[in-house]
């Protein structure tokens, strides 16, 4: 196979980036509605629903030979590590930070994912970036610092969660790019086994923190509109995971991070 043949087309790169940006935008808006407008008290339970949806869709697709990924063997956890830990950290810190901060400030602070991704690509993937890219990234960071400095509704807990989310997102993107070898797990295997390995620990976290009990006792479960939005969030959670892997596959982890920052402009 020639290098040209192995190179993704411009259309594939563009469409995967648009899919990622669109899914991310819709999911943040929907999660914000569930966690603040409806007052749903259980972000961990919502994360479990999104993981369970991912597992079910991919498993059914594999059974029907729509997609392919390897069956489980004892080497898979070693091949994936540390992705499952980064995955759950990214997932839960994103939900918690969404519930603690206003959308404008959340989107500003999420831009710190970009320099972190650039740094990790350099250290882990040994990728060199041009001076133009580095200068552009630092300009984005400077703008985010200025905006954060004018935040009148400072929420320390929200800031901690969103900065953790930045770190987990950057590391998850870089390691996903590294692990996504089609001869090994491939993009579907990475998605499926990440969700499988983390859904039970996340469930235990939900039980031990009282998150599950709060979800069970939530008063809106008889509200059809709330249920539809909850189920849509679970589906969009799967689509976002898929779109993230797809965008990283056809582009770079840095491109995925930049798309994540650009798309927020439409929701601020």
């Amino acid at each position: 196979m020639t290098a040209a043949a192995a190179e993704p087309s411009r259309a594939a790169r563009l469409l995967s980036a648009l899919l990622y940006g669109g899914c991310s935008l819709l999911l943040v808006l929907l999660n914000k509605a569930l966690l603040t407008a409806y007052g749903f008290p259980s972000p961990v339970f919502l994360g479990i629903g999104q993981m369970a949806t991912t597992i079910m869709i991919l498993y059914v697709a594999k059974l029907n030979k729509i997609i392919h990924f390897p069956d489980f063997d004892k080497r898979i956890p070693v091949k994936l590590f540390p992705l499952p830990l980064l995955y759950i950290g990214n997932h839960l810190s994103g939900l918690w930070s969404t519930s603690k901060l206003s959308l404008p400030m959340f989107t500003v602070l999420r831009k710190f994912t970009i320099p972190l991704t650039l740094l990790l690509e350099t250290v882990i993937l040994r990728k060199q970036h041009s001076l133009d890219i580095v200068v552009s990234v630092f300009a984005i960071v400077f703008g985010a610092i200025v905006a954060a400095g004018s935040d009148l509704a400072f929420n320390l807990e929200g800031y901690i969660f969103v900065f953790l989310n930045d770190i987990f997102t950057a590391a998850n993107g870089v390691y996903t790019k590294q692990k996504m070898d089609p001869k090994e797990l491939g993009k579907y295997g990475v998605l499926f086994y990440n969700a499988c390995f983390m859904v039970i620990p996340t469930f235990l976290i939900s039980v031990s923190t009282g998150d599950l009990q709060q979800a069970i006792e939530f008063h809106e479960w008889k509200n059809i509109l709330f249920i539809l939005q909850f189920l849509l969030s679970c589906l969009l959670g799967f689509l976002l995971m898929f779109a993230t892997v797809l965008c990283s596959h056809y582009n770079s982890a840095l491109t995925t991070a930049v798309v994540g920052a650009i798309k927020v402009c439409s929701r601020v």
Side-chain angles (χ1 to χ4, degrees):
M1 182 180 291
T2 64
E7 188 74 14
S9 68
R10 182 174 296 181
R13 290 177 173 180
L14 177 61
L15 291 174
S16 63
L18 290 174
L19 177 64
Y20 167 68
C23 288
S24 182
L25 169 63
L26 291 173
L27 185 60
V28 170
L29 292 174
L30 189 56
N31 285 346
K32 188 68 177 175
L34 289 171
L35 296 171
T36 57
Y38 283 102
F40 187 63
S42 309
V44 179
F45 183 80
L46 180 58
I48 292 170
Q50 293 172 355
M51 293 178 206
T53 302
T54 299
I55 293 168
M56 287 188 292
I57 290 175
L58 292 177
Y59 186 68
V60 170
K62 177 178 168 66
L63 286 179
N64 288 278
K65 303 186 185 305
I66 298 171
I67 61 173
H68 172 75
F69 53 85
D71 295 327
F72 179 79
D73 66 62
K74 61 184 180 182
R75 295 173 299 169
I76 285 180
V78 177
K79 292 177 181 177
L80 268 183
F81 187 83
L83 265 183
L85 300 179
L86 299 173
Y87 168 81
I88 188 62
N90 182 39
H91 209 74
L92 297 184
S93 61
L95 287 169
W96 273 320
S97 57
T98 301
S99 66
K100 299 293 182 182
L101 294 173
S102 66
L103 273 178
M105 190 49 54
F106 174 80
T107 57
V108 165
L109 296 176
R110 286 289 288 141
K111 291 180 182 178
F112 285 95
T113 300
I114 300 173
L116 289 170
T117 302
L118 185 146
L119 175 64
L120 290 176
E121 277 195 335
T122 303
V123 173
I124 296 170
L125 302 181
R126 307 294 181 186
K127 186 171 183 178
Q128 299 299 316
H129 297 282
S130 68
L131 180 61
D132 289 346
I133 292 176
V134 174
V135 170
S136 299
V137 167
F138 276 99
I140 292 172
V141 173
F142 178 75
I145 292 173
V146 171
S150 62
D151 184 16
L152 300 179
F154 179 78
N155 183 319
L156 178 60
E157 188 179 4
Y159 270 57
I160 291 172
F161 279 128
V162 79
F163 280 124
L164 285 173
N165 190 221
D166 291 340
I167 294 169
F168 283 125
T169 299
N172 186 66
V174 171
Y175 275 103
T176 296
K177 183 72 174 180
Q178 185 188 60
K179 302 286 184 181
M180 212 165 25
D181 185 349
K183 295 179 181 178
E184 297 286 343
L185 296 175
K187 53 183 178 290
Y188 299 114
V190 167
L191 275 175
F192 180 79
Y193 289 114
N194 255 342
C196 284
F197 289 145
M198 293 317 300
V199 70
I200 294 176
T202 307
F203 178 78
L204 295 177
I205 292 172
S206 182
V207 172
S208 63
T209 59
D211 180 271
L212 178 63
Q213 188 63 32
Q214 288 180 312
I216 293 172
E217 295 174 352
F218 187 57
H219 61 277
E220 292 283 359
W221 286 116
K222 293 181 180 179
N223 184 336
I224 298 299
L225 186 58
F226 168 79
I227 293 173
L228 289 175
Q229 291 184 57
F230 184 90
L231 293 176
L232 182 58
S233 175
C234 291
L235 179 60
L236 279 172
F238 158 71
L239 289 175
L240 178 60
M241 294 176 213
F242 175 71
T244 303
V245 169
L246 203 65
C247 188
S248 297
H249 174 69
Y250 286 122
N251 299 285
S252 66
L254 182 61
T255 300
T256 304
V258 171
V259 171
I262 291 174
K263 63 95 177 37
V264 303
C265 297
S266 62
R267 71 181 185 224
V268 174

